[in-house]
Coordinates of all heavy atoms in Angstrom, one line a residue:
D207 N 88.5 101.6 102.1 CA 89.7 102.4 101.5 C 89.3 103.8 101.7 O 88.3 104.3 101.1 CB 89.8 102.0 100.1 CG 91.0 102.7 99.4 OD1 91.5 103.7 99.9 OD2 91.5 102.1 98.4
P208 N 90.2 104.6 102.4 CA 89.8 106.0 102.6 C 89.9 106.9 101.3 O 89.5 108.0 101.3 CB 90.9 106.5 103.6 CG 92.0 105.5 103.5 CD 91.4 104.2 103.1
Y209 N 90.4 106.3 100.2 CA 90.5 107.0 99.0 C 89.5 106.5 97.9 O 89.6 106.9 96.8 CB 92.0 106.9 98.5 CG 93.0 107.2 99.5 CD1 93.6 106.2 100.3 CD2 93.3 108.6 99.8 CE1 94.5 106.6 101.3 CE2 94.2 108.9 100.8 CZ 94.8 107.9 101.5 OH 95.7 108.2 102.5
G210 N 88.6 105.7 98.3 CA 87.6 105.1 97.3 C 86.4 104.6 98.1 O 86.5 103.7 98.9
D211 N 85.2 105.2 97.8 CA 84.0 104.8 98.6 C 83.4 103.5 98.2 O 82.4 103.1 98.8 CB 83.0 106.0 98.5 CG 82.5 106.2 97.1 OD1 82.9 105.5 96.2 OD2 81.6 107.1 97.0
T212 N 83.9 102.8 97.2 CA 83.4 101.5 96.8 C 84.5 100.4 96.9 O 84.5 99.4 96.2 CB 82.8 101.5 95.4 OG1 83.7 101.8 94.5 CG2 81.6 102.4 95.4
R213 N 85.5 100.7 97.7 CA 86.6 99.8 97.9 C 86.9 99.6 99.4 O 86.8 100.5 100.2 CB 87.9 100.3 97.2 CG 87.8 100.4 95.7 CD 89.3 100.6 95.2 NE 90.0 101.7 95.7 CZ 90.1 102.9 95.1 NH1 89.5 103.1 93.9 NH2 90.8 103.9 95.7
C214 N 87.4 98.4 99.7 CA 88.0 98.1 101.0 C 89.5 97.7 100.7 O 89.7 97.1 99.7 CB 87.3 97.1 101.8 SG 85.6 97.5 102.2
R215 N 90.4 98.0 101.6 CA 91.8 97.7 101.2 C 92.7 97.6 102.5 O 92.5 98.3 103.5 CB 92.4 98.8 100.3 CG 93.8 98.4 99.8 CD 94.5 99.7 99.2 NE 93.7 100.2 98.1 CZ 94.1 100.2 96.8 NH1 95.2 99.6 96.5 NH2 93.4 100.7 95.9
S216 N 93.7 96.7 102.4 CA 94.8 96.7 103.3 C 96.0 96.4 102.5 O 96.0 95.9 101.4 CB 94.6 95.7 104.4 OG 94.5 94.4 103.9
Y217 N 97.2 96.7 103.1 CA 98.4 96.8 102.3 C 99.6 96.4 103.1 O 99.6 96.5 104.3 CB 98.6 98.3 101.8 CG 99.9 98.6 101.2 CD1 100.2 98.2 99.9 CD2 100.8 99.5 101.8 CE1 101.4 98.6 99.3 CE2 102.0 99.8 101.2 CZ 102.3 99.4 99.9 OH 103.5 99.8 99.3
F218 N 100.6 95.8 102.4 CA 101.8 95.4 103.1 C 103.0 95.7 102.2 O 103.0 95.3 101.0 CB 101.7 93.9 103.3 CG 103.0 93.2 103.9 CD1 103.3 93.4 105.2 CD2 103.8 92.4 103.1 CE1 104.5 92.8 105.8 CE2 104.9 91.8 103.7 CZ 105.3 92.0 105.0
K219 N 104.0 96.5 102.7 CA 105.2 96.8 101.9 C 106.3 96.0 102.5 O 106.5 95.9 103.8 CB 105.5 98.3 101.9 CG 106.7 98.6 101.1 CD 107.0 100.1 101.2 CE 106.1 101.0 100.5 NZ 106.5 102.4 100.5
A220 N 107.2 95.4 101.7 CA 108.3 94.6 102.1 C 109.5 94.8 101.3 O 109.4 95.3 100.2 CB 107.8 93.1 102.1
T221 N 110.6 94.3 101.8 CA 111.9 94.3 101.0 C 112.2 92.8 100.7 O 112.3 92.0 101.5 CB 113.0 94.9 101.9 OG1 112.7 96.2 102.3 CG2 114.3 94.8 101.1
L222 N 112.4 92.6 99.4 CA 112.8 91.3 98.9 C 114.3 91.3 98.6 O 114.9 92.1 98.0 CB 112.1 91.0 97.5 CG 112.5 89.7 96.8 CD1 112.2 88.5 97.6 CD2 112.0 89.7 95.4
D223 N 115.0 90.3 99.2 CA 116.4 90.0 98.9 C 116.4 89.0 97.8 O 116.0 87.9 97.9 CB 117.0 89.4 100.2 CG 118.5 89.2 99.9 OD1 118.9 88.8 98.8 OD2 119.3 89.4 100.9
V224 N 116.7 89.5 96.6 CA 116.6 88.7 95.4 C 117.5 87.5 95.4 O 117.2 86.5 94.9 CB 117.0 89.6 94.1 CG1 117.0 88.8 92.9 CG2 115.9 90.8 94.0
D225 N 118.7 87.6 96.1 CA 119.6 86.5 96.1 C 119.1 85.4 97.0 O 119.2 84.2 96.6 CB 121.0 87.0 96.7 CG 121.7 87.9 95.7 OD1 121.3 87.9 94.5 OD2 122.7 88.6 96.1
S226 N 118.6 85.7 98.2 CA 118.1 84.7 99.1 C 116.7 84.3 98.9 O 116.2 83.2 99.3 CB 118.4 85.1 100.5 OG 117.5 86.1 100.9
G227 N 115.9 85.2 98.3 CA 114.4 85.0 98.2 C 113.6 85.4 99.4 O 112.4 85.2 99.4
R228 N 114.3 85.9 100.4 CA 113.6 86.3 101.7 C 112.8 87.6 101.5 O 113.4 88.5 100.9 CB 114.5 86.3 102.8 CG 115.1 85.0 103.2 CD 116.0 85.0 104.4 NE 115.4 85.8 105.5 CZ 115.7 85.5 106.8 NH1 116.6 84.6 107.1 NH2 115.1 86.2 107.7
L229 N 111.7 87.7 102.1 CA 110.8 88.9 102.1 C 110.6 89.3 103.5 O 110.2 88.6 104.4 CB 109.5 88.5 101.4 CG 108.6 89.7 101.1 CD1 109.1 90.5 99.9 CD2 107.2 89.2 100.7
T230 N 111.0 90.6 103.8 CA 110.9 91.1 105.1 C 110.1 92.4 105.2 O 110.2 93.3 104.3 CB 112.4 91.4 105.7 OG1 113.2 90.2 105.5 CG2 112.4 91.9 107.1
R231 N 109.3 92.6 106.2 CA 108.5 93.8 106.3 C 109.4 95.1 106.3 O 110.4 95.2 106.9 CB 107.7 93.8 107.7 CG 106.8 95.0 107.9 CD 106.3 95.0 109.3 NE 105.5 93.9 109.7 CZ 104.2 93.8 109.5 NH1 103.5 94.8 109.0 NH2 103.5 92.7 109.9
A232 N 108.9 96.1 105.5 CA 109.6 97.4 105.4 C 109.1 98.3 106.5 O 108.0 98.2 107.0 CB 109.3 98.0 104.0
E233 N 110.0 99.2 106.9 CA 109.6 100.2 108.0 C 108.5 101.1 107.4 O 107.6 101.5 108.1 CB 110.8 100.9 108.4 CG 111.8 100.1 109.2 CD 112.9 100.9 109.8 OE1 112.8 102.2 109.7 OE2 113.9 100.3 110.3
D234 N 108.7 101.6 106.2 CA 107.8 102.6 105.6 C 106.6 101.8 105.0 O 106.8 101.0 104.1 CB 108.5 103.4 104.6 CG 107.5 104.3 103.8 OD1 106.4 104.6 104.3 OD2 107.9 104.8 102.7
Q235 N 105.4 102.0 105.5 CA 104.2 101.3 104.9 C 103.3 102.2 104.2 O 102.1 101.9 104.0 CB 103.5 100.6 106.1 CG 104.2 99.5 106.7 CD 104.3 98.3 105.8 OE1 103.3 97.9 105.1 NE2 105.5 97.7 105.7
T236 N 103.8 103.3 103.7 CA 103.0 104.2 102.8 C 103.1 103.8 101.4 O 104.0 103.0 101.0 CB 103.4 105.7 102.9 OG1 104.8 105.8 102.5 CG2 103.4 106.2 104.4
Y237 N 102.1 104.3 100.6 CA 102.1 103.9 99.1 C 101.8 105.2 98.3 O 101.0 106.1 98.7 CB 100.9 102.9 98.9 CG 100.8 102.5 97.4 CD1 101.7 101.8 96.8 CD2 99.6 102.9 96.7 CE1 101.6 101.4 95.5 CE2 99.5 102.6 95.4 CZ 100.4 101.8 94.8 OH 100.3 101.5 93.5
S238 N 102.5 105.3 97.2 CA 102.3 106.4 96.3 C 102.4 106.0 94.8 O 103.1 105.0 94.5 CB 103.2 107.6 96.6 OG 104.6 107.1 96.4
Q239 N 101.7 106.7 93.9 CA 101.8 106.6 92.5 C 102.0 107.9 91.9 O 101.6 109.0 92.5 CB 100.6 105.9 91.9 CG 100.3 104.5 92.3 CD 99.0 104.0 91.8 OE1 97.9 104.5 92.3 NE2 99.0 103.1 90.9
T240 N 102.5 108.0 90.7 CA 102.6 109.3 90.0 C 101.2 109.6 89.4 O 100.4 108.8 89.2 CB 103.6 109.2 88.8 OG1 103.2 108.2 87.8 CG2 105.0 108.8 89.3
Y241 N 101.0 110.9 89.2 CA 99.8 111.4 88.6 C 99.7 110.8 87.2 O 98.6 110.5 86.7 CB 99.7 112.9 88.6 CG 98.5 113.5 88.0 CD1 97.3 113.5 88.8 CD2 98.4 113.9 86.7 CE1 96.1 114.0 88.2 CE2 97.3 114.4 86.1 CZ 96.1 114.5 86.9 OH 94.9 115.0 86.3
K242 N 100.8 110.7 86.5 CA 100.8 110.2 85.1 C 100.2 108.8 85.1 O 99.4 108.4 84.2 CB 102.2 110.2 84.5 CG 102.3 109.7 83.1 CD 103.7 109.7 82.5 CE 103.7 109.1 81.1 NZ 105.1 109.2 80.6
A243 N 100.6 107.9 86.0 CA 100.1 106.5 86.0 C 98.7 106.4 86.5 O 97.9 105.5 86.1 CB 101.0 105.7 86.9
N244 N 98.3 107.3 87.4 CA 97.0 107.3 88.0 C 96.4 108.7 88.3 O 96.6 109.2 89.3 CB 97.0 106.5 89.3 CG 95.7 106.2 89.9 OD1 94.7 106.8 89.5 ND2 95.6 105.3 90.9
P245 N 95.7 109.2 87.3 CA 95.2 110.6 87.4 C 94.1 110.7 88.5 O 93.8 111.8 89.0 CB 94.5 110.9 86.0 CG 95.2 109.9 85.1 CD 95.5 108.7 85.9
I246 N 93.6 109.6 89.0 CA 92.6 109.7 90.0 C 93.2 109.7 91.4 O 92.9 110.6 92.2 CB 91.6 108.5 90.0 CG1 90.9 108.5 88.6 CG2 90.7 108.4 91.2 CD1 90.0 107.2 88.4
D247 N 94.1 108.8 91.7 CA 94.7 108.8 93.0 C 96.2 109.0 93.1 O 96.8 108.9 94.1 CB 94.4 107.4 93.6 CG 93.0 107.2 94.0 OD1 92.4 108.1 94.5 OD2 92.4 106.1 93.6
G248 N 96.8 109.3 91.9 CA 98.3 109.5 91.9 C 98.6 110.9 92.4 O 97.8 111.8 92.6
G249 N 99.9 111.1 92.7 CA 100.4 112.4 93.1 C 100.2 112.6 94.6 O 100.3 113.8 95.1
K250 N 99.9 111.6 95.3 CA 99.7 111.8 96.8 C 100.2 110.6 97.5 O 100.4 109.5 96.9 CB 98.2 111.9 97.1 CG 97.4 110.7 96.8 CD 95.9 110.9 97.1 CE 95.2 111.6 95.9 NZ 93.7 111.5 96.0
V251 N 100.6 110.8 98.8 CA 101.0 109.6 99.6 C 99.8 109.1 100.3 O 99.1 109.8 101.0 CB 102.1 110.1 100.6 CG1 102.4 108.9 101.6 CG2 103.3 110.6 100.0
R252 N 99.6 107.8 100.0 CA 98.4 107.2 100.6 C 98.8 106.2 101.8 O 99.8 105.6 101.7 CB 97.6 106.4 99.5 CG 96.9 107.3 98.6 CD 96.0 106.5 97.6 NE 96.7 105.9 96.5 CZ 96.2 105.0 95.6 NH1 94.9 104.6 95.8 NH2 96.9 104.6 94.6
V253 N 97.9 106.2 102.8 CA 98.2 105.4 103.9 C 96.9 104.5 104.1 O 95.8 104.9 104.3 CB 98.4 106.2 105.2 CG1 98.6 105.3 106.4 CG2 99.5 107.2 105.1
F254 N 97.2 103.2 104.0 CA 96.1 102.2 104.1 C 96.3 101.4 105.5 O 97.4 101.4 106.1 CB 96.2 101.2 103.0 CG 96.1 101.8 101.6 CD1 97.2 101.6 100.7 CD2 95.0 102.5 101.2 CE1 97.2 102.2 99.5 CE2 95.0 103.0 99.9 CZ 96.1 102.9 99.1
D255 N 95.2 100.7 105.8 CA 95.4 99.7 106.9 C 96.5 98.7 106.5 O 96.6 98.3 105.3 CB 94.1 98.9 107.1 CG 93.1 99.8 107.9 OD1 93.4 100.9 108.3 OD2 91.9 99.2 108.0
T256 N 97.3 98.3 107.5 CA 98.3 97.3 107.2 C 97.7 95.9 107.3 O 96.8 95.6 108.2 CB 99.4 97.4 108.3 OG1 100.0 98.7 108.2 CG2 100.5 96.4 108.0
I257 N 98.0 95.0 106.4 CA 97.5 93.6 106.4 C 97.8 93.0 107.8 O 98.9 93.0 108.3 CB 98.1 92.8 105.3 CG1 97.7 93.4 103.9 CG2 97.6 91.3 105.4 CD1 98.3 92.7 102.7
D258 N 96.8 92.4 108.4 CA 96.9 91.8 109.7 C 98.0 90.7 109.7 O 98.1 89.9 108.7 CB 95.6 91.2 110.2 CG 94.6 92.2 110.5 OD1 95.0 93.4 110.7 OD2 93.4 91.9 110.6
D259 N 98.7 90.5 110.8 CA 99.7 89.5 110.9 C 99.1 88.1 110.7 O 99.7 87.2 110.2 CB 100.3 89.5 112.3 CG 101.3 90.7 112.4 OD1 101.6 91.4 111.4 OD2 101.9 90.9 113.6
E260 N 97.8 87.9 111.2 CA 97.2 86.6 111.0 C 97.0 86.3 109.6 O 97.1 85.1 109.2 CB 95.8 86.7 111.7 CG 95.0 85.4 111.7 CD 93.7 85.5 112.4 OE1 93.7 86.0 113.6 OE2 92.7 85.1 111.9
V261 N 96.7 87.3 108.7 CA 96.6 87.0 107.3 C 97.9 86.8 106.7 O 98.1 85.9 105.8 CB 95.9 88.2 106.6 CG1 95.8 88.0 105.1 CG2 94.5 88.4 107.2
L262 N 98.9 87.5 107.1 CA 100.3 87.3 106.5 C 100.8 85.9 106.8 O 101.5 85.4 106.0 CB 101.2 88.3 107.2 CG 101.1 89.8 106.9 CD1 102.1 90.6 107.7 CD2 101.2 90.1 105.4
A263 N 100.3 85.3 107.8 CA 100.8 83.9 108.2 C 100.0 82.9 107.5 O 100.3 81.7 107.6 CB 100.7 83.8 109.7
M264 N 98.9 83.2 106.8 CA 98.1 82.2 106.1 C 98.8 81.5 105.0 O 99.6 82.1 104.3 CB 96.8 82.8 105.6 CG 95.8 83.2 106.6 SD 94.3 83.9 105.9 CE 93.4 84.4 107.4
T265 N 98.6 80.2 104.9 CA 99.3 79.4 103.8 C 99.0 80.0 102.4 O 99.9 80.2 101.6 CB 98.8 78.0 103.9 OG1 99.3 77.4 105.1 CG2 99.5 77.2 102.7
A266 N 97.7 80.3 102.2 CA 97.4 80.8 100.8 C 98.0 82.1 100.5 O 98.5 82.4 99.4 CB 95.8 80.9 100.7

Side-chain angles (χ1 to χ4, degrees):
D207 183 339
Y209 309 95
D211 62 0
T212 59
R213 297 193 302 261
C214 298
R215 186 191 301 249
S216 59
Y217 172 71
F218 175 73
K219 183 185 286 188
T221 300
L222 172 68
D223 185 321
V224 176
D225 290 344
S226 70
R228 292 181 51 151
L229 190 70
T230 306
R231 183 192 296 270
E233 291 185 11
D234 176 16
Q235 290 293 314
T236 62
Y237 177 68
S238 60
Q239 293 173 293
T240 64
Y241 181 81
K242 179 180 179 181
N244 187 347
I246 297 176
D247 291 314
K250 65 182 80 167
V251 175
R252 288 188 277 172
V253 180
F254 305 118
D255 285 355
T256 303
I257 297 176
D258 289 342
D259 286 355
E260 182 178 314
V261 177
L262 295 177
M264 290 180 181
T265 297

